[in-house]
Amino acid sequence: MVQNFTKRVSSASVEQKEALRQSYAQAKISKPTEESNENTTVAEAVAQMCENLGIKSAYGVSGGAMASLWGALSNSDIDVLNFRHEAGAAFAATEGYFASGNPTVVFTTAGPGITNALTGLFAARGEGAKVILLSACTSAAQRGRWAIQETSTDTLPSSGIFTTGTMFNYASTVESAAQLPQIFRKLALGLSQPGGYVAHITIPTAVQNMSMDQTQLPEKGVSCSLVTSSSEVVANAAKLLSQGTFAIWLGFGARGAASEIRQLAEKTGAAVMCSPRGKGIFPENHPQFIGVTGLGGHGSVMTYMQEQAPIRTLVLGSRLSEPTSFWNQEMVPSRGFIHVDIDPNVPGVAYPHAETLGIQSDVQAFVLQLLSILEADEKSQLQIKTSQPSSLPKPERITVEPGQESPIRPEILMEAIQKVIVDGSDAVVMAECGNSFTWSTNLLQFNQANRYRVSTGVGAMGHAVTGVVGAASARNGKAVAIVGDGAMLMNNEISTAVKYQIPAIWIVLNDARYNMCHQGMKMLGMTGADATIPETDFQMIARAMGAEGIRVTKESEITAALKQAIAANGPVIIDVLIDPDRPAPSKGRNKGLACQGVKSTSEKKPKAASFPNI
């Protein structure tokens, strides 16, 4: 039934597609299960192992070398989605994890299947996702004999791909069924710990069909206690914070402590700022919120640091990486940072010369401990000096003059996205790297955590255009990707979304350029480099693939198009012809570059533009 569904869905109407999608879901639920027996294959045991680890979904591309593993996954209770490219599958698995909170699987065949997935898995590691790569490799008897897509030390470097290290938190090659119980425990331990975890388990083709005793496989994993700091350490932090006004700088690692952070901020009157990935953890409409830092950030943050600088900043769950801080020395308070992070290797690294008290702890646990101390000492000598919210600078808002219809100004597009999608739905919103990132980060406003996703680690083109499929699928609801035309042409998964009728929405900023590069080179006064691309009709591409396509050429058409997309049951692409000459908002970026000594070679200073990694 499931196979018949995939054959029928491409030519169905919208109503038929919804009915078929429901029948597909029912087929997965009502799929008959075989009577269990003690003997099973390694492939079947691995699929069962994944179920026992709490994995609900798997994303990948099939192949002969992993046919048995693919079949075992497909006949398990795991939702298996077949993608068009392994990188797209890996990005989707990453965003599927963040949308659901459940670890995910990426499956690939041997050779290019593995190498194609590496960029997406690199992003998973950098973003802090929990993802397991299951791949196939050449069996021992065939290694070194030029097998099809041979995967061995004769063809691929072992270090890094098949070993624990920079790419993978844990990696293992299954050469015997007897290894599986230990591998299961290792994976369970890694997945139970806070923070991200990316593993690679590769299984030779012949080993996948080996028989094993099913009872050898543990049914449950292991649990780890929460990482917390001692009461003495937290008390010392409270004492330091009481010595003068302080600010709170939030990162993505603080997303699980939104309620506690708001209590802390309102109790102390501290100004609050956040990284691009931290948007929404603290409500952006709150009077104590002073703006987003880094790429696409707000000039109001620098205004605060220059005019009302705190003596310390409490950093919660941020690496203070270049996209978050640009390592701008003006962001360093006179007495430095109190830096709380689950990773002991983070505090003090981004600003090595700044005074830093590093605290390894879960952010929520730390803030709860801090609140407890502040409440206990309210009537004693410990007093927090508060700021007046009314005196704090607010994120600037870009205003545009009415009357223009086309080309569409990005500011007008973002204003409509705010009203229809951010405020009018519960959709997760993602922004691709490039100008899509800066427009969205600067202009969209979120008042709750886990609604906005950007990648500031790897920042790969193609992350959001494919990740949106994983997010929408995992949450069984709307996910919206704001992307550039260059990223959309690089690696989209429209076809995958059509096959499974996943309610993903792509909003394409179509300007026939790699516009961050184009504007950045202009900012530097450099000529000759060509960043233009032929204009593409994404409405036609969408319809050719079986998705709903909408082309927007006038500003008056934007709201209707967005409402149509939100109301649709399946995937929708909105092709928006934007004004390519509107400079992307990046005051924070340019100030950061200026502090690093980057200067324009042009005699006439251009308007603000964004161009990272100069």
Side-chain angles (χ1 to χ4, degrees):
M1 182 177 180
V2 176
Q3 291 177 340
N4 290 338
F5 170 85
T6 60
K7 292 177 182 177
R8 292 155 49 204
V9 71
S10 60
S11 61
S13 67
V14 172
E15 293 78 8
Q16 290 172 324
K17 286 177 179 178
E18 174 60 14
L20 288 169
R21 186 191 65 77
Q22 293 178 1
S23 70
Y24 170 76
Q26 183 61 35
K28 290 285 287 184
I29 294 171
S30 60
K31 183 172 53 182
T33 56
E34 298 179 0
E35 294 185 6
S36 61
N37 54 63
E38 292 187 356
N39 291 323
T40 187
T41 66
V42 167
E44 292 166 341
V46 168
Q48 183 60 55
M49 179 175 73
C50 290
E51 288 186 38
N52 294 349
L53 291 170
I55 291 166
K56 307 294 184 184
S57 55
Y59 312 78
V61 180
S62 58
M66 49 86 68
S68 297
L69 181 57
W70 180 35
L73 288 170
S74 299
N75 287 287
S76 72
D77 289 333
I78 296 171
D79 192 19
V80 176
L81 287 84
N82 295 285
F83 275 63
R84 306 297 168 263
H85 194 277
E86 291 88 353
F91 287 129
T94 299
E95 295 308 319
Y97 165 73
F98 288 121
S100 67
N102 298 316
T104 57
V105 154
V106 175
F107 60 89
T108 76
T109 193
I114 297 172
T115 57
N116 282 347
L118 291 180
T119 299
L121 293 165
F122 183 39
R125 181 79 184 262
E127 293 294 305
K130 286 182 165 66
V131 178
I132 297 173
L133 169 63
L134 297 179
S135 73
C137 66
T138 305
S139 301
Q142 284 77 46
R143 291 172 195 163
R145 297 171 59 193
W146 304 285
I148 295 175
Q149 297 178 336
E150 179 168 338
T151 304
S152 69
T153 54
D154 291 298
T155 58
L156 287 174
S158 175
S159 179
I161 298 179
F162 302 100
T163 59
T164 301
T166 304
M167 178 68 73
F168 298 107
N169 297 94
Y170 170 65
S172 181
T173 301
V174 181
E175 300 287 8
S176 167
Q179 293 174 258
L180 288 185
Q182 181 196 52
I183 290 173
F184 175 85
R185 290 298 191 193
K186 292 261 192 178
L187 294 175
L189 182 63
L191 292 173
S192 68
Q193 293 175 356
Y197 184 77
V198 181
H200 181 192
I201 307 301
T202 187
I203 312 169
T205 304
V207 175
Q208 294 173 34
N209 294 306
M210 285 184 177
S211 179
M212 66 173 290
D213 185 349
Q214 189 177 21
T215 61
Q216 293 178 352
L217 195 65
E219 293 184 4
K220 296 183 179 180
V222 293
S223 58
C224 292
S225 59
L226 200 65
V227 177
T228 59
S229 291
S230 67
S231 56
E232 292 81 6
V233 169
V234 182
N236 182 45
K239 183 178 179 181
L240 293 176
L241 293 175
S242 71
Q243 293 175 354
T245 58
F246 71 93
I248 300 173
W249 197 349
L250 301 177
F252 189 59
R255 65 192 182 279
S259 175
E260 293 79 10
I261 290 168
R262 181 166 182 169
Q263 290 180 52
L264 175 64
E266 292 178 344
K267 188 177 187 62
T268 62
V272 181
M273 51 193 164
C274 73
S275 70
R277 290 203 302 163
K279 282 172 67 70
I281 296 173
F282 189 80
E284 293 190 70
N285 62 357
H286 196 284
Q288 288 171 241
F289 183 73
I290 61 171
V292 180
T293 64
L295 187 59
H298 300 112
S300 52
V301 174
M302 293 309 302
T303 299
Y304 170 76
M305 294 302 297
Q306 291 166 352
E307 298 178 1
Q308 303 180 46
I311 68 166
R312 283 189 176 86
T313 294
L314 176 62
V315 182
L316 300 174
S318 174
R319 295 173 294 202
L320 301 184
S321 61
E322 183 181 11
T324 293
S325 68
F326 299 125
W327 308 310
N328 189 338
Q329 291 303 309
E330 291 189 52
M331 293 299 295
V332 181
S334 59
R335 300 188 189 177
F337 302 107
I338 296 174
H339 197 153
V340 183
D341 202 277
I342 200 70
D343 186 347
N345 298 310
V346 166
V349 174
Y351 286 98
H353 302 298
E355 181 180 343
T356 301
L357 171 62
I359 300 176
Q360 183 186 13
S361 176
D362 172 81
V363 171
Q364 184 182 44
F366 171 84
V367 176
L368 283 171
Q369 288 176 282
L370 183 59
L371 284 169
S372 178
I373 290 173
L374 295 180
E375 289 170 2
D377 289 342
E378 257 182 351
K379 298 180 180 180
S380 66
Q381 77 281 3
L382 187 60
Q383 297 293 324
I384 299 291
K385 296 180 181 179
T386 62
S387 302
Q388 293 297 322
S390 60
S391 69
L392 296 173
K394 303 297 185 289
E396 64 277 7
R397 293 296 168 196
I398 298 175
T399 58
V400 293
E401 295 297 324
Q404 181 174 321
E405 272 284 67
S406 60
I408 293 164
R409 292 165 289 182
E411 301 96 321
I412 300 297
L413 173 62
M414 294 299 152
E415 184 178 280
I417 291 173
Q418 179 73 46
K419 292 178 181 178
V420 177
I421 293 175
V422 179
D423 298 337
S425 79
D426 68 346
V428 169
V429 178
M430 307 171 63
E432 191 64 77
C433 65
N435 280 0
S436 303
F437 182 118
T438 57
W439 284 117
S440 302
T441 299
N442 187 275
L443 296 182
L444 297 182
Q445 186 178 82
F446 294 86
N447 298 318
Q448 59 188 114
N450 302 316
R451 287 276 322 268
Y452 185 64
R453 281 284 300 139
V454 289
S455 171
T456 57
V458 176
M461 288 181 66
H463 187 134
V465 296
T466 54
V468 68
V469 178
S473 174
R475 72 189 302 265
N476 194 27
K478 295 287 183 181
V480 178
I482 302 170
V483 306
D485 49 350
M488 197 68 179
L489 289 168
M490 179 172 283
N491 182 14
N492 68 70
E493 290 287 344
I494 298 171
S495 175
T496 303
V498 169
K499 176 178 180 179
Y500 301 106
Q501 281 302 284
I502 295 170
I505 298 172
W506 289 265
I507 300 173
V508 184
L509 277 59
N510 192 344
D511 53 19
R513 293 176 182 172
Y514 292 108
N515 213 4
M516 176 174 275
C517 298
H518 179 90
Q519 292 182 348
M521 295 298 280
K522 185 177 180 180
M523 177 190 75
L524 295 175
M526 297 180 181
T527 60
D530 183 8
T532 62
I533 56 179
E535 184 179 303
T536 303
D537 190 332
F538 291 99
Q539 179 189 44
M540 292 184 65
I541 290 177
R543 292 176 177 177
M545 289 187 173
E548 187 171 350
I550 306 169
R551 187 162 239 224
V552 179
T553 61
K554 299 178 181 179
E555 290 183 352
S556 58
E557 300 170 344
I558 298 172
T559 298
L562 295 174
K563 289 181 177 179
Q564 182 179 337
I566 285 291
N569 292 318
V572 181
I573 292 83
I574 305 176
D575 184 10
V576 185
L577 300 185
I578 66 165
D579 186 344
D581 297 321
R582 301 291 290 189
S586 58
K587 290 181 180 178
R589 169 61 174 167
N590 292 337
K591 286 186 178 182
L593 287 173
C595 288
Q596 294 180 48
V598 176
K599 298 180 180 179
S600 171
T601 58
S602 173
E603 294 182 2
K604 183 178 179 181
K605 292 184 178 180
K607 294 181 179 180
S610 181
F611 194 40
N613 302 323
I614 297 175

